[in-house]
Amino acid sequence: MSSRQTYDEVLRTLSEGSVHTHFDAFTDIDWDNPDWTIDLKDPRWVLPEVDPLGGHPWYQAQPLERQIEIGLWRMVNITKVGMQFENVLIRGAMDYLFSLPNGKPEFRYLTHECTEETHHTQMFQEFVNRSGCDVPGGRPSFRVLSRFLPLAGSLWPEVFFTGVLAGEEPIDHVQKAILRSGATQHPLLRRIMQIHVAEEARHISFAHEFLRQKTPELGKFRKGALSVAYPLVMRTLGDVIMIPGKRMTTELGVPRRVIRDIFWKSPEGRKMLRDLFADVRMLAEDTGLMNPVSRRVWKLLRIDGRASRYRGQPASLAS
Ligand SMILES: [Fe+2]
Ligand SMILES: [Fe+2]
C-alpha cells in the first residue's frame, strides 16, 4: 500500500472513531450535580504537586484559602486559553477546507474535529462562566494575533498544523500528568479533562499524520523554512499556553520571581520545558525536519533533548 493510501486509511479510521465515540458538552457533564459546584472553600482546588506552580515551595507555604484561590484561578485561566486556541483551530481548519479539492479525506476528518472542538469550547467556556473568575486567557499579544493566525490554514497549512500541535501537545501533556498522578481533584474539572484527553488523542494523531504525509511532499525551500519555523512555533505557542500572564501577579499576588523560576529558570522548569516537546521532537526526527540549522534553533530555544520512542511516552519512562 502506498503512503498515500495508508494515510487515507488512517483518516477514515479516525473519522469513524469520531462517529462512534464523541461527547456533548451539555449531556455528558453533570453541571448541576450538587457535589460539583464551584466553591472557594473547597480544598479540591488546591493545585496538585504535578502542576508546576502546585509543586513550588512558595505555593505550598501559602495558607489553604490562598492555595484554593490561586489554584482555581490558574485552572480557569488555562481552560480559557484552551478555549481560545481551539477557536483559532476551528477558524483555521475551516479556512484550509474551503478550497480543498474534491475527494480529499481531510474534509470529513477535519469537520468531525471541528465539531468536537466546538463542544470543547462550549464546555471550557461554561466552566469559566460557572467559576466566577473573570480570567483573560492568553496574553494580549496572542489575543491580537488570533485574528490573523487562521489565515495560515490556507496560506501555509504545514505551519498552521504545527501550531495546532503546539497548542494541543502541552495541554494534553499537563492534563495527562494530572490524571495519571491520581491526585485529588475537583470532579467537574476531572470530567472535563477526561473528555478532553479522550478526544484530543484523535486530534493529535491527525496532526502527526498530516505533517508526516505532507512534509516529504514539500519543495526544498519550504521544507527548510518549516524545519526552522517548527521549533519556533512550538516554543512561542507553548509559552502562551503554559506561562500565566501578568494578572497572576497583579491580581493574585503570585510574585514575579516565582513565575520566572517555574517558567523556566529553575532546573525543574527547564526539564519540564524539554519534556513537553518530546513527542514533537520525535515527529521532527521522523519527517526530516532535524538538520544542522534547525537543531541549533531547538537548542537556542532550550527545547532540544531526547525524542520520545513512541507517542505519549511518559517523561518518567524516557531513558
Ligand atoms: Fe480540544
Ligand atoms: Fe483538539
Side-chain angles (χ1 to χ4, degrees):
M1 215 191 282
S2 73
S3 79
R4 179 85 230 178
Q5 284 169 317
T6 314
Y7 171 74
D8 289 4
E9 190 62 40
V10 170
L11 263 56
R12 192 164 32 250
T13 307
L14 291 173
S15 297
E16 285 162 5
S18 288
V19 174
H20 298 305
T21 316
H22 55 257
F23 298 90
D24 181 288
F26 295 98
T27 54
D28 291 311
I29 300 178
D30 194 3
W31 294 103
D32 296 320
N33 184 328
D35 188 41
W36 290 22
T37 47
I38 301 175
D39 176 354
L40 269 172
K41 289 192 184 66
D42 192 337
R44 294 177 297 187
W45 292 115
V46 171
L47 293 171
E49 250 182 66
V50 288
D51 177 85
L53 180 58
H56 195 277
W58 177 87
Y59 178 80
Q60 292 175 348
Q62 299 304 303
L64 181 64
E65 49 291 6
R66 285 279 289 145
Q67 290 195 18
I68 293 173
E69 183 193 19
I70 296 167
L72 177 62
W73 197 94
R74 171 163 169 76
M75 286 303 162
V76 176
N77 197 57
I78 291 180
T79 307
K80 180 83 185 185
V81 180
M83 185 285 285
Q84 291 166 336
F85 251 97
E86 304 204 327
N87 177 289
V88 171
L89 189 162
I90 294 165
R91 285 185 283 142
M94 288 297 167
D95 186 49
Y96 172 71
L97 293 179
F98 184 86
S99 44
L100 198 69
N102 297 329
K104 296 281 184 190
E106 288 91 351
F107 184 88
R108 176 176 169 188
Y109 172 74
L110 271 171
T111 43
H112 280 307
E113 180 165 322
C114 289
T115 307
E116 290 162 11
E117 296 296 24
T118 304
H119 285 287
H120 296 176
T121 57
Q122 281 187 322
M123 78 176 174
F124 287 166
Q125 188 60 51
E126 183 68 14
F127 173 63
V128 173
N129 294 350
R130 286 176 181 245
S131 74
C133 301
D134 186 20
V135 293
R139 52 181 84 165
S141 55
F142 174 65
R143 300 206 296 274
V144 172
L145 260 182
S146 70
R147 295 169 172 232
F148 308 102
L149 291 174
L151 293 174
S154 57
L155 298 176
W156 208 2
E158 61 273 18
V159 170
F160 180 76
F161 285 101
T162 298
V164 166
L165 259 187
E168 287 178 334
E169 291 271 8
I171 290 195
D172 190 61
H173 185 95
V174 170
Q175 290 184 334
K176 277 204 289 227
I178 293 177
L179 291 173
R180 274 178 186 149
S181 77
T184 314
Q185 248 195 319
H186 193 282
L188 176 57
L189 187 61
R190 189 171 188 83
R191 180 70 183 135
I192 290 173
M193 280 190 185
Q194 282 167 340
I195 291 179
H196 200 243
V197 164
E199 291 194 325
E200 251 2 65
R202 218 159 28 226
H203 303 175
I204 294 175
S205 289
F206 168 74
H208 276 255
E209 292 299 328
F210 181 89
L211 290 170
R212 241 177 239 285
Q213 180 65 27
K214 305 289 173 188
T215 310
E217 295 170 359
L218 298 173
K220 225 175 163 187
F221 175 77
R222 222 161 147 150
K223 191 169 174 182
L226 178 62
S227 75
V228 173
Y230 187 100
L232 281 168
V233 170
M234 288 294 161
R235 174 67 204 267
T236 312
L237 294 185
D239 280 0
V240 169
I241 296 248
M242 296 297 291
I243 306 180
K246 270 207 185 100
R247 280 180 50 186
M248 192 141 214
T249 304
T250 52
E251 280 179 31
L252 287 158
V254 179
R256 203 67 211 138
R257 66 162 178 87
V258 171
I259 295 185
R260 267 204 297 265
D261 202 31
I262 300 170
F263 307 99
W264 314 97
K265 254 177 124 181
S266 65
E268 299 79 26
R270 282 205 294 271
K271 178 178 179 311
M272 179 170 185
L273 179 62
R274 291 197 156 88
D275 288 350
L276 286 179
F277 297 107
D279 283 9
V280 294
R281 281 195 295 272
M282 176 182 73
L283 180 64
E285 296 275 7
D286 293 352
T287 48
L289 291 176
M290 284 291 189
N291 54 50
V293 179
S294 67
R295 264 183 217 286
R296 293 197 66 162
V297 179
W298 283 88
K299 202 172 163 100
L300 271 172
L301 296 169
R302 289 180 288 155
I303 51 174
D304 56 323
R306 201 183 293 273
S308 294
R309 274 178 287 136
Y310 55 90
R311 252 187 50 220
Q313 180 185 14
S316 57
L317 297 184
S319 59

